[in-house]
Amino acid sequence: PTVLLNTFIWVASVVIVQLVISLWLAQFLNSQFPGRRWVRIAVLIPWAASVVMTTMVFVYGLDPYYGIMNRFLVDVHILAAPLGFTQEPVPAFITAIAIGIFISVPFTTYVLLAGLAGVPPEVLEAASVDGAGRARMYFSVILPYLRGAIVLSTLINVINTFNNLPVLKLITGSLPGYPDDTTTTLMFKILQGEHNIGVASALAAVNFIIVLVVVAIYLVAAKPMKAVES
């Protein structure tokens, strides 16, 4: 039960938070401002870089003895003393979620940017003439046009996050026991640590079934073709 709960928290936290951030970031990058091209390129870096390499930057940066990120948090008085982010179950799991969000945002942002490019300018102009404010225009006009992009990016992120082994392996893999495991990391721990191929194979089948069920439920609930039909 704990592993299943961890899996749900891991996937839901990463997918929902990165979607909210990406919606804001895509809207920001879609506006005109000096240096927009360079900012767009910079946003791509966490996604284009190796997941292992990006995660290791955080592993070393958050080290309580020589990590520059840890030292910075102490210097700005967010932390009273260096914290072992990867040495305790709860901080390690939260750190893994933050890294998962960080590496997922660029992909979702660019998918949403493509969706924003498909919003007809005349529709926005008509909404403005009708007196719609910025908030009303965004939620009543822009978001419906982004439905397909949101469904697509969320679906891919659910699958990728569920199957994401490198981040959790590098951040929580050295902790004893199974307090931070998801069904994916548990499968590899049983295979590599206990060399129990039978149980690991059964977990692989369970993981596959879970992904199929979640994707099916999401597609039924989201109705990705609704916007096209309307």
Side-chain angles (χ1 to χ4, degrees):
T2 301
V3 172
L4 289 175
L5 179 61
N6 287 345
T7 304
F8 173 78
I9 294 174
W10 160 249
V11 175
S13 300
V14 172
V15 172
I16 293 174
V17 175
Q18 64 86 26
L19 177 60
V20 173
I21 295 174
S22 297
L23 281 169
W24 172 83
L25 191 56
Q27 191 69 28
F28 171 71
L29 293 177
N30 194 52
S31 59
Q32 296 291 337
F33 60 89
R36 183 178 69 164
R37 177 184 299 178
W38 298 107
V39 175
R40 285 187 171 188
I41 293 174
V43 169
L44 268 179
I45 293 176
W47 180 69
S50 164
V51 174
V52 173
M53 181 179 71
T54 303
T55 305
M56 289 306 298
V57 169
F58 283 91
V59 169
Y60 290 120
L62 292 172
D63 186 274
Y65 301 106
Y66 52 79
I68 188 173
M69 298 178 186
N70 217 321
R71 187 68 216 173
F72 172 77
L73 293 175
V74 173
D75 289 342
V76 297
H77 305 293
I78 294 178
L79 296 178
L83 175 66
F85 284 93
T86 61
Q87 298 174 1
E88 296 292 335
V90 174
F93 196 59
I94 294 174
T95 300
I97 290 174
I99 297 172
I101 293 168
F102 180 73
I103 63 179
S104 300
V105 162
F107 167 76
T108 307
T109 299
Y110 268 78
V111 172
L112 295 175
L113 266 175
L116 287 172
V119 179
E122 58 272 16
V123 174
L124 297 177
E125 184 179 351
S128 178
V129 170
D130 289 341
R134 296 183 64 178
R136 179 64 183 274
M137 188 180 299
Y138 185 78
F139 287 101
S140 299
V141 179
I142 296 176
L143 270 184
Y145 275 96
L146 290 178
R147 183 188 186 91
I150 291 173
V151 170
L152 173 63
S153 61
T154 301
L155 184 60
I156 293 175
N157 280 318
V158 165
I159 297 172
N160 286 343
T161 304
F162 184 88
N163 293 317
N164 193 319
L165 179 67
V167 173
L168 289 168
K169 176 71 174 176
L170 292 170
I171 299 297
T172 67
S174 61
L175 296 173
Y178 310 103
D180 288 330
D181 276 314
T182 64
T183 55
T184 302
T185 60
L186 180 64
M187 176 181 64
F188 279 89
K189 273 190 177 179
I190 291 175
L191 178 62
Q192 296 177 349
E194 303 176 11
H195 304 289
N196 194 329
I197 299 176
V199 175
S201 300
L203 276 173
V206 170
N207 282 350
F208 181 70
I209 293 172
I210 291 175
V211 170
L212 284 181
V213 171
V214 170
V215 169
I217 292 174
Y218 178 72
L219 288 177
V220 170
K223 295 180 176 64
M225 296 305 294
K226 183 177 180 180
V228 177
E229 292 171 356
S230 60

